Amino acid sequence: MSSPQRRLLVTSALPYANGQIHIGHLVEYVQTDIWVRFQRMRGHEVHYVGADDTHGTPIMLRAEKEGITPKELIANVWKEHKRDFDNFLISFDNYYTTDSPENEKLAQSIYLKLRDAGLIEKRAIEQAYDPVKEMFLPDRFIKGECPKCGAKDQYGDNCEKCGATYSPTDLKNPFSVVSGATPIKKISDHYFFKLSDPRCEEFLREWTQEKTPLQPEARNKMKEWVGQPGESKLGDWDISRDAPYFGFEIPDAPGKYFYVWLDAPIGYYASFLNYCQAKGLNFDEWVKPDTSTEQYHFIGKDILYFHTLFWPATLKFSGYRTPTNVFAHGFLTVDGEKMSKSRGTLISANSVIECGFNPEWFRYYFATKLNDSMEDLDLNLQDFVARVNSDLLGKYINIASRSAGFLVKRFGGVVSDAAMNTPLLQEIAASSEKIAELYEGREYAKALRTVMELADKVNGFVDENKPWEIAKDPEREADLQRVCSVTLEAFRMLSLYLKPVIPQVANGVEEFLSLPPQSWSDINMPLSSKNPIQAYQHLMTRVEAPQIEALLAANL
């Protein structure tokens, strides 16, 4: 049963242009990409856009340290990020940068609309200032002794030893991370988005609690933040920073710049606008308040606050549509612990490729762990080896290798047209909507468990019929062709179900089986006797334990 065509705009969080992509980041892009590929297979119009998040003090200071301009730095990092996403088969329709003319224009336009709506307020605030570098210091650029437990070398916003949170002005013996100087206090005018305005509070209460099908954990968290009617829990949001700063200048405030978190999410729209201009799409039709299009954001749970409070309010009160939904995921641990550079488990995306790993091993393994919740997931390296080898090689790939040779050598690669009438194939085809619902709901672990249960049944069919035994009997040629045809049809179906997760292998299967690119509705379209299958070629190799050791060593 086919569903009406939908029109979807999908994003993943924008990686910061101050570091490399590691496997913890990749969980999110793989999760998004599987969903996007599935939606494309269903025949929907899907546009998946992203960008590097490029502004802020850390970018400015790193560029200075490297002796290059911030623009040179972000251009270099963009190439690395794009390489990593391409290597892991992340199928962005457009991968852009937040340091773009489109983003500057959109950010300024949105700001002016918020200002004209009476939602921007200028206030004088006291901040820490580095007298040597002559710059205001973000919280993370001030260190000192924790005011609660006395631990040394703690950041200006929270203590990593006792967990206390505080203001940078509370630190004892503070010093600037940039110059080492003792910060002084200095007054500066800042611009605030008035989230405490009753209009914002009412909108956000309704959007988070009633209108948007947020994950239960997210909705409960939002309930803590937005409070009950009559309560005023939302604080106003400081959206400005002082020069020197790498970013966009605020239109009516010389020397003041948009805080990176103001223009970064607008970068979703800027990337899409850039794409629309290149492809001749109507950008306004997708982002206007009453549009029938859908807009989804995949993010980590650590940035839920920005995407379910600031971003919807920014869109609502500047005249744009609000997100259809925001999907948050948990963090990745490795062998049950936080990723660690000293243990070699802060694994960069590029090192995975350089150590000879197949990126689809990781895509599959992450998918077996992902569901629709915000719970953390663990990359257990021993389990990774066992799961990939058992599921992908032992259960799935093995099906093709056990049958294709007989069909090519004995029957010219021609399948039996009657194969689809077999109950086994009818059962696999009947699972189509169940598996589709699981992909739609981001329940990838359940979807893959269902596929592997079907693979077990196919392998049971092969073991029961023993084509290698039938092949010895010249009188049973028809039986041999039938058994091998059923097996290859089953392999075709399983490959279709796995295509969002392991698209490169699926493409190889389509070539091997002489098929055009498969969509979800092709589940009941049998292999044709008019298009003989090709000789079987290895589709995937096993993971070997020494590869894991090499990967860990490469990341020390």
Side-chain angles (χ1 to χ4, degrees):
M1 186 175 73
S2 62
S3 53
Q5 191 191 50
R6 298 156 61 191
R7 302 169 73 210
L8 304 97
L9 173 61
V10 184
T11 76
S12 303
L14 311 183
Y16 199 43
N18 193 33
Q20 58 188 347
I21 302 296
H22 58 66
I23 55 170
H25 296 127
L26 283 170
V27 169
E28 178 174 309
Y29 301 99
V30 167
Q31 182 188 37
T32 317
D33 187 70
I34 290 171
W35 200 75
V36 164
R37 288 179 182 273
F38 164 71
Q39 300 294 355
R40 289 177 184 145
M41 287 182 71
R42 293 288 269 182
H44 302 310
E45 181 181 356
V46 190
H47 303 295
Y48 177 25
V49 299
D52 269 0
D53 178 8
T54 57
H55 291 152
T57 304
I59 298 289
M60 180 183 73
L61 294 175
R62 178 181 162 187
E64 183 181 301
K65 186 177 180 181
E66 294 185 14
I68 57 177
T69 66
K71 287 186 180 293
E72 288 172 325
L73 171 65
I74 63 177
N76 294 340
V77 173
W78 185 92
K79 290 175 187 172
E80 294 173 2
H81 287 182
K82 185 66 167 62
R83 172 203 65 200
D84 294 342
F85 290 138
D86 288 347
N87 281 339
F88 278 82
L89 312 175
I90 309 302
S91 58
F92 286 111
D93 290 298
N94 195 46
Y95 192 74
Y96 204 37
T97 172
T98 59
D99 190 50
S100 70
E102 294 93 343
N103 201 31
E104 183 171 25
K105 185 176 178 182
L106 280 171
Q108 291 179 347
S109 166
I110 285 172
Y111 166 80
L112 291 172
K113 287 175 182 175
L114 296 175
R115 185 197 67 183
D116 294 346
L119 291 171
I120 301 295
E121 182 178 276
K122 183 168 77 170
R123 297 180 202 157
I125 64 168
E126 187 178 69
Q127 280 185 288
Y129 184 81
D130 186 325
V132 175
K133 290 293 288 185
E134 297 183 329
M135 62 180 285
F136 287 96
L137 293 167
D139 295 352
R140 303 291 283 183
F141 283 82
I142 308 166
K143 283 189 171 182
E145 296 169 15
C146 172
K148 302 288 173 66
C149 74
K152 295 185 177 182
D153 206 34
Q154 298 303 310
Y155 286 111
D157 53 359
N158 74 285
C159 176
E160 293 183 337
K161 187 167 184 183
C162 73
T165 58
Y166 41 75
S167 166
T169 53
D170 296 331
L171 278 175
K172 296 176 183 176
N173 301 316
F175 62 92
S176 165
V177 173
V178 185
S179 71
T182 301
I184 61 173
K185 294 177 182 178
K186 195 170 180 179
I187 301 293
S188 174
D189 286 334
H190 271 229
Y191 291 76
F192 288 79
F193 180 11
K194 294 164 63 177
L195 276 184
S196 62
D197 185 288
R199 291 171 292 171
C200 291
E201 290 194 337
E202 183 182 353
F203 159 70
L204 287 170
R205 198 170 287 117
E206 181 182 48
W207 189 84
T208 62
Q209 300 303 307
E210 298 171 28
K211 282 196 169 180
T212 311
L214 294 172
Q215 294 148 291
E217 309 104 304
R219 187 183 297 111
N220 291 338
K221 199 67 181 168
M222 294 304 105
K223 197 170 186 177
E224 292 176 25
W225 288 335
V226 299
Q228 301 296 328
E231 289 184 308
S232 183
K233 284 197 166 188
L234 291 173
D236 295 335
W237 180 31
D238 187 346
I239 61 165
S240 70
R241 292 296 184 266
D242 292 276
Y245 190 81
F246 180 57
F248 296 139
E249 200 165 21
I250 298 176
D252 57 358
K256 305 291 180 180
Y257 291 79
F258 289 125
Y259 172 43
V260 61
W261 265 108
L262 186 282
D263 72 70
I266 296 171
Y268 296 138
Y269 274 12
S271 181
F272 185 53
L273 175 59
N274 174 260
Y275 175 73
C276 287
Q277 290 169 342
K279 298 294 183 181
L281 293 172
N282 187 334
F283 173 76
D284 293 336
E285 177 62 32
W286 282 74
V287 300
K288 65 184 183 180
D290 59 348
T291 182
S292 61
T293 63
E294 301 171 48
Q295 180 176 317
Y296 297 95
H297 301 292
F298 285 74
I299 61 165
K301 62 184 179 181
D302 55 325
I303 54 174
L304 193 64
Y305 194 88
F306 291 100
H307 283 79
T308 53
L309 294 178
F310 298 154
W311 178 229
T314 299
L315 291 170
K316 168 69 176 176
F317 294 102
S318 60
Y320 290 94
R321 56 90 40 77
T322 51
T324 308
N325 212 340
V326 175
F327 301 136
H329 61 82
F331 301 132
L332 179 72
T333 57
V334 178
D335 288 340
E337 298 182 27
K338 281 186 176 182
M339 287 185 288
S340 161
K341 179 71 177 169
S342 63
R343 293 175 59 242
T345 55
L346 187 65
I347 299 169
S348 73
N350 194 47
S351 70
V352 171
I353 302 302
E354 289 189 335
C355 287
F357 280 70
N358 184 333
E360 290 189 301
W361 293 340
F362 281 93
R363 287 178 64 100
Y364 179 79
Y365 188 77
F366 288 156
T368 66
K369 299 276 188 166
L370 281 163
N371 55 37
D372 67 349
S373 81
M374 289 162 53
E375 66 187 20
D376 294 344
L377 57 156
D378 184 53
L379 168 58
N380 179 293
L381 292 168
Q382 283 189 318
D383 180 52
F384 169 79
V385 174
R387 179 76 65 94
V388 169
N389 289 344
S390 170
D391 286 6
L392 287 181
L393 278 299
K395 293 184 180 181
Y396 164 60
I397 297 289
N398 192 40
I399 293 170
S401 61
R402 296 176 83 180
S403 304
F406 292 123
L407 209 58
V408 170
K409 290 174 187 173
R410 304 279 278 267
F411 307 102
V414 175
V415 297
S416 168
D417 287 333
M420 285 297 283
N421 296 324
T422 305
L424 171 64
L425 297 183
Q426 292 170 351
E427 180 184 356
I428 297 173
S431 301
S432 171
E433 283 307 306
K434 174 188 176 183
I435 294 170
E437 286 173 12
L438 293 171
Y439 273 128
E440 176 69 44
R442 307 178 322 288
E443 291 283 6
Y444 304 158
K446 290 180 181 177
L448 295 185
R449 196 152 54 242
T450 302
V451 174
M452 287 303 148
E453 286 169 0
L454 294 171
D456 284 337
K457 292 183 179 182
V458 178
N459 282 300
F461 172 84
V462 176
D463 291 339
E464 183 181 332
N465 285 276
K466 299 181 174 59
W468 54 91
E469 294 290 342
I470 299 175
K472 297 174 184 175
D473 186 348
E475 301 290 319
R476 300 187 65 192
E477 288 286 285
D479 282 346
L480 180 61
Q481 186 179 21
R482 178 187 62 81
V483 169
C484 291
S485 296
V486 170
T487 306
L488 266 294
E489 286 286 9
F491 184 67
R492 172 188 68 82
M493 292 174 164
L494 297 177
S495 299
L496 187 151
Y497 291 152
L498 290 170
K499 188 173 179 178
V501 180
I502 48 172
Q504 203 160 261
V505 166
N507 291 343
V509 171
E510 289 164 355
E511 189 175 323
F512 155 53
L513 297 180
S514 301
L515 292 169
Q518 296 288 282
S519 64
W520 205 263
S521 59
D522 289 325
I523 193 68
N524 288 307
M525 187 69 67
L527 295 167
S528 171
S529 56
K530 296 175 185 174
N531 294 309
I533 70 165
Q534 307 299 308
Y536 175 75
Q537 303 285 335
H538 285 300
L539 293 164
M540 183 177 275
T541 57
R542 293 171 56 84
V543 193
E544 302 296 344
Q547 289 177 276
I548 298 293
E549 295 167 17
L551 183 64
L552 296 178
N555 284 278
L556 285 173

